[in-house]
Amino acid sequence: MDTVRSSGAPAYQRIAAAYRSLIMSGELRPEDRLPTEHEIADRFGVVRQTVRTGLGILVTEGLIVARRPHGYFVRRREHMVYRPQEKSRPRPASPEMDRFSQQIVAEGRTPHQAIEVSLVQAAPDLAQRLGIAAGETVVARRRVRFINGEPTNINDSHFPIDLVKDSEIMSPAYLPRGTDQVLADLGYRQDRAIDEIFIRMPTPEEIHRLSLGPGTPVAAHYDTGYTAAGQPVQCTLNVLPGDRHKIVFERHWQEDPAG
């Protein structure tokens, strides 16, 4: 008997384990097509519903995708390197490109951003970060970033309305100067920021905006900027799908003067 039938585990788990191993080892590569449900059923001596259950585990794990009626394919993962520390570094010299666009172009890929601006009521967690009362109106500058036409991450910035109501931030157009510089020109130059990163499952809205597959966790990065006087002036929520990003922090050691 084929060794895939000899384990005591339920058949659907053996099916998932067998193809998970082939994917993780590299024997099955991104965009490779798996055998048909009928072929897998014959190999394992099971009915096709059992095959679907086993492959469904791999879909939930984000290892394969189902493309009806063509079958199941190994999921392609093109990670974006995400560096939170880049926010505090100078913007690119070219006014046509922000940091995201410059990075993606340098990698030989095509960036795109969809921007919309709206007035929303601050949820308690956002209100706390901005130092305002829950339910107060804030300006939400919402962006979905794309690489080669595929949604890659969410970048939603929020501002107290009294700070930006008469500024360019209210326009959904791309801002060559960047929102940080607009805030600085308004008298709210940021002196420091607090970064918070949470790992969680996405909300239904995030699933829709990013076209996420089942079982894809996200990193939620809150970036709250403060003036030198300690006033919070913006809070940005970056939502990073776990199958599309690698988060990289760079640190520099400082010598201890005490030796």
Side-chain angles (χ1 to χ4, degrees), residues 5 11 30 37 71 79 84 87 101 110 114 127 146 149 151 157 163 165 187 192 200 202 214 232 258:
R5 305 188 190 192
E37 291 179 356
H79 291 91
K87 180 77 183 312
S101 298
T110 302
F146 297 78
S157 296
L163 271 58
K165 60 184 178 182
R192 66 184 180 91
R200 58 171 172 77

Side-chain angles (χ1 to χ4, degrees), residues 82 84-85 87 193-197 221-224 238 249:
Y82 181 80
Q85 65 269 17
K87 180 77 183 312
I194 293 178
D195 295 289
E196 304 167 86
I197 297 178
H221 171 212
Y222 288 89
D223 171 8
T224 307
N238 299 280
F249 284 92

Side-chain angles (χ1 to χ4, degrees), residues 14-28 58 61 63:
R14 289 187 279 119
I15 291 169
Y19 288 100
R20 183 188 299 112
S21 176
L22 293 173
I23 293 168
M24 300 304 291
S25 70
E27 188 170 339
L28 281 175
L58 301 185
E61 292 176 359
L63 293 176

Side-chain angles (χ1 to χ4, degrees), residues 223-245:
D223 171 8
T224 307
Y226 298 81
T227 65
Q231 178 185 7
V233 295
Q234 76 166 317
C235 179
T236 299
L237 170 60
N238 299 280
V239 180
L240 316 170
D243 62 340
R244 306 174 196 179
H245 292 81

Side-chain angles (χ1 to χ4, degrees), residues 16-255:
Y19 288 100
R20 183 188 299 112
S21 176
L22 293 173
I23 293 168
M24 300 304 291
S25 70
E27 188 170 339
L28 281 175
R29 301 178 62 80
E31 298 298 335
D32 279 355
R33 182 177 179 276
L34 272 64
T36 66
E37 291 179 356
H38 180 75
E39 290 169 337
I40 296 174
D42 281 351
R43 179 186 176 196
F44 283 81
V46 297
V47 297
R48 290 178 65 179
Q49 183 55 50
T50 302
V51 174
R52 293 190 189 104
T53 301
L55 297 181
I57 294 175
L58 301 185
V59 171
T60 299
E61 292 176 359
L63 293 176
I64 65 174
V65 293
R67 296 176 185 161
R68 306 293 185 189
H70 305 293
Y72 295 88
F73 295 80
V74 179
R75 189 171 187 174
R76 176 174 294 279
R77 299 171 182 268
E78 291 190 82
H79 291 91
M80 172 185 167
V81 177
Y82 181 80
R83 297 181 173 89
Q85 65 269 17
E86 291 292 329
K87 180 77 183 312
S88 60
R89 295 178 179 174
R91 289 175 61 82
S94 170
E96 291 77 23
M97 289 196 293
D98 59 8
R99 296 181 188 89
F100 165 76
S101 298
Q102 184 186 55
Q103 174 186 336
I104 301 309
V105 168
E107 294 171 356
R109 298 189 282 176
T110 302
H112 169 67
Q113 303 183 57
I115 305 173
E116 62 180 43
V117 176
S118 60
L119 300 180
V120 301
Q121 291 183 319
D125 60 341
L126 177 61
Q128 181 181 19
R129 291 181 172 91
L130 287 175
I132 60 177
E136 281 194 29
T137 300
V138 296
V139 176
R141 188 174 176 85
R142 292 155 48 94
R143 292 193 290 183
V144 176
R145 292 165 163 170
F146 297 78
I147 299 177
N148 292 344
E150 298 291 332
T152 299
N153 60 47
I154 289 170
N155 174 259
D156 290 351
S157 296
H158 305 85
F159 311 85
I161 189 170
D162 290 342
L163 271 58
V164 302
K165 60 184 178 182
D166 297 319
S167 74
E168 302 147 271
I169 287 174
M170 300 297 297
S171 168
Y174 170 67
L175 299 179
R177 292 190 296 152
T179 56
D180 288 354
Q181 186 58 51
V182 173
L183 284 170
D185 293 343
L186 292 170
Y188 304 105
R189 182 175 297 279
Q190 293 166 86
D191 176 76
R192 66 184 180 91
I194 293 178
D195 295 289
E196 304 167 86
I197 297 178
F198 303 87
I199 308 301
R200 58 171 172 77
M201 297 308 292
T203 66
E205 181 192 23
E206 291 164 352
I207 291 172
H208 173 71
R209 293 176 71 189
L210 292 168
S211 301
L212 296 178
T216 305
V218 298
H221 171 212
Y222 288 89
D223 171 8
T224 307
Y226 298 81
T227 65
Q231 178 185 7
V233 295
Q234 76 166 317
C235 179
T236 299
L237 170 60
N238 299 280
V239 180
L240 316 170
D243 62 340
R244 306 174 196 179
H245 292 81
K246 177 171 71 171
I247 301 175
V248 176
F249 284 92
E250 178 182 345
R251 296 181 292 161
H252 295 273
W253 299 111
Q254 294 183 349
E255 292 187 10

